[in-house]
Amino acid sequence: MPFLRGNSGRRSGLTLAPFLEVKELWHRYASSDWTLQNIDFSLETGQLLGLLGPSGCGKTTLLRLIAGFERPSQGLIAIAGREVASPRRWLAPERRQVGMLFQDYALFPHLTAWQNACFGLKPNADRGRAQWLLELLGLKGLEQRYPHELSGGQRQRLALVRALVPQPQLLLLDEPFSNLDVDVRLRLRAELPRVLKECGVTALMVTHDPEEAMAICDQVAVLCDGLWHQCAPPQQLVAEPATSFVARFVLQANVLQRHDLCRLLSAQQHHLLEGSDDAQQASWLIRQDDLCLRSDRDGQAHVLSREFLGYEWLYLIELDGLRLRLRVGLANDIPPGSRCALSLRADWHPQLIDDSAWESAAASPPIPAA
């Protein structure tokens, strides 16, 4: 295919520098707290990184810094081995070879699909790539339609075509599926990795949906309040959450202190905590399927609410002021307001989360230049 860009060094057995490097990056707007604090990560050629976190955590700001729409307060950004932002160098956005896909598509309403697709090309540039991408994304035959004549999914595909036509080295996607209905969103997110691979593009995608990030991304980075909590492959993120926030936000898991955990342990399970006296400040991870639930009129817990998920129930249970979330089979049908008994599965194994290790690694804010 003549339109591919780049080649992973892994294919040739070479060890290359990361495609994207962000080192000790700090940022804040005038008269505000730090929006990003000591962000440090790298991304290999051809990978898709998901930036995951709640609204206002700094995800979009990080994209804007990489694109060149904002200047960092301190730190370095390098793309394909070239510094684009540092104390000694600044490269304008149009010179970074970075494409951007916005949440609201940002299509020109007075231009046809073909004109939108070719908007970033010079007048004498080859239009073959635009035609190839329109066909790749299922828009062949719709070239003369205007954006208002396209469905939401077609408009998002067209926006992706326009972002990829100029052959960017790096593609930044800011919640690209958030305005789409469920069926279209699922189909487009399944297509995205294939399209990026066909084009040989490295990408970062902002999302606040853990399921979306883990479904298609090679690496997932979790941010909260401008702090970088963890960056890992999805499987590792699920198996070994680094902080309490990652466990709660990504896994929707329960994170308990030792004294709360002891209330759930059976007499036969207390030995599991032996030797953990040095972890008094640590938290214990209780996944939603680690808990067992049964109806009990004399039980100490009661059902606050439940959600029907198709194949199972998701319960919210209160036990002496402690709220816990758990999933059980549909046969375990306990109406809200009912009293119940709660316990840990017999095969549960302890998993510690020590936030102190992460907190001690946090850097102090940079000292302003004189």
Side-chain angles (χ1 to χ4, degrees):
M1 179 60 63
F3 305 114
L4 297 183
R5 170 186 287 278
N7 185 25
S8 173
R10 289 173 292 180
R11 297 193 187 107
S12 59
L14 299 176
T15 301
L16 302 179
F19 179 80
L20 172 67
E21 283 188 283
V22 176
K23 293 183 177 180
E24 300 178 1
L25 190 70
W26 293 77
H27 177 270
R28 68 177 170 190
Y29 297 100
S31 304
S32 73
D33 295 331
W34 292 106
T35 52
L36 291 171
Q37 304 179 49
N38 199 38
I39 304 299
D40 201 304
F41 72 96
S42 62
L43 187 62
E44 293 183 15
T45 300
Q47 284 192 322
L48 171 59
L49 171 67
L51 296 175
L52 176 63
S55 297
C57 72
K59 305 183 299 294
T60 298
T61 298
L62 180 54
L63 283 198
R64 291 177 61 83
L65 286 164
I66 294 170
F69 302 151
E70 303 283 348
R71 289 177 181 255
S73 303
Q74 182 170 302
L76 176 145
I77 301 171
I79 299 173
R82 179 176 62 166
E83 286 186 13
V84 297
S86 72
R88 56 186 175 272
R89 181 172 173 80
W90 170 258
L91 201 64
E94 63 272 16
R95 297 179 59 197
R96 297 189 183 193
Q97 290 186 277
V98 172
M100 191 91 180
L101 182 61
F102 297 95
Q103 182 177 344
D104 59 356
Y105 318 139
L107 297 171
F108 296 105
H110 63 293
L111 300 181
T112 65
W114 176 253
Q115 291 169 328
N116 267 285
C118 298
F119 185 81
L121 296 177
K122 295 180 180 179
N124 59 346
D126 180 17
R127 265 53 176 170
R129 180 177 172 86
Q131 191 62 58
W132 172 68
L133 282 166
L134 286 168
E135 185 172 350
L136 179 67
L137 282 155
L139 297 175
K140 184 178 180 180
L142 304 178
E143 293 88 347
Q144 299 309 311
R145 292 193 185 183
Y146 289 89
H148 72 273
E149 298 175 313
L150 301 173
S151 68
Q154 289 169 339
R155 288 196 294 271
Q156 187 61 292
R157 287 187 176 95
L158 179 57
L160 180 56
V161 168
R162 188 180 62 181
L164 291 171
V165 163
Q167 292 188 277
Q169 296 184 93
L170 180 67
L171 181 64
L172 308 177
L173 305 100
D174 191 3
E175 300 199 43
F177 310 124
S178 60
N179 290 335
L180 303 173
D181 61 57
V182 174
D183 183 57
V184 176
R185 182 167 70 244
L186 291 176
R187 280 192 280 113
L188 279 182
R189 104 179 173 193
E191 290 176 9
L192 181 63
R194 173 183 63 86
V195 172
L196 295 177
K197 185 177 180 180
E198 289 273 1
C199 296
V201 174
T202 306
L204 280 79
M205 181 181 75
V206 160
T207 179
H208 60 266
D209 182 351
E211 179 184 327
E212 182 173 275
M214 292 190 292
I216 63 173
C217 294
D218 301 298
Q219 302 278 332
V220 178
V222 184
L223 291 87
C224 182
D225 295 330
L227 293 169
W228 193 265
H229 280 246
Q230 187 174 5
C231 183
Q235 298 91 332
Q236 182 181 342
L237 207 67
V238 171
E240 302 171 4
T243 68
S244 298
F245 175 77
V246 175
R248 291 191 179 103
F249 186 78
V250 178
L251 279 65
Q252 296 293 298
N254 307 286
V255 181
L256 305 183
Q257 299 299 308
R258 184 189 177 99
H259 66 276
D260 289 324
L261 176 61
C262 288
R263 293 151 65 185
L264 297 173
L265 295 173
S266 67
Q268 294 76 25
Q269 290 176 316
H270 277 278
H271 74 279
L272 295 173
L273 302 189
E274 293 176 1
S276 63
D277 292 340
D278 57 343
Q280 293 288 343
Q281 302 304 314
S283 302
W284 302 80
L285 176 65
I286 308 296
R287 300 173 189 272
Q288 291 183 3
D289 57 358
D290 285 336
L291 291 163
C292 298
L293 181 69
R294 61 181 174 84
S295 180
D296 186 343
R297 292 181 180 179
D298 300 319
Q300 296 181 338
H302 69 277
V303 178
L304 290 177
S305 64
R306 66 178 181 178
E307 298 176 31
F308 176 65
L309 301 181
Y311 298 98
E312 57 188 355
W313 293 108
L314 172 61
Y315 280 97
L316 178 61
I317 307 295
E318 184 172 39
L319 173 64
D320 296 332
L322 180 67
R323 294 191 173 192
L324 301 162
R325 298 171 69 87
L326 66 148
R327 294 173 184 248
V328 297
L330 294 180
N332 211 335
D333 188 356
I334 306 175
S338 304
R339 303 204 70 81
C340 56
L342 201 59
S343 62
L344 282 165
R345 289 169 44 142
D347 60 352
W348 176 78
H349 293 286
Q351 187 171 355
L352 277 170
I353 298 179
D354 189 358
D355 283 331
S356 63
W358 173 79
E359 290 167 354
S360 64
S364 300
I367 300 174

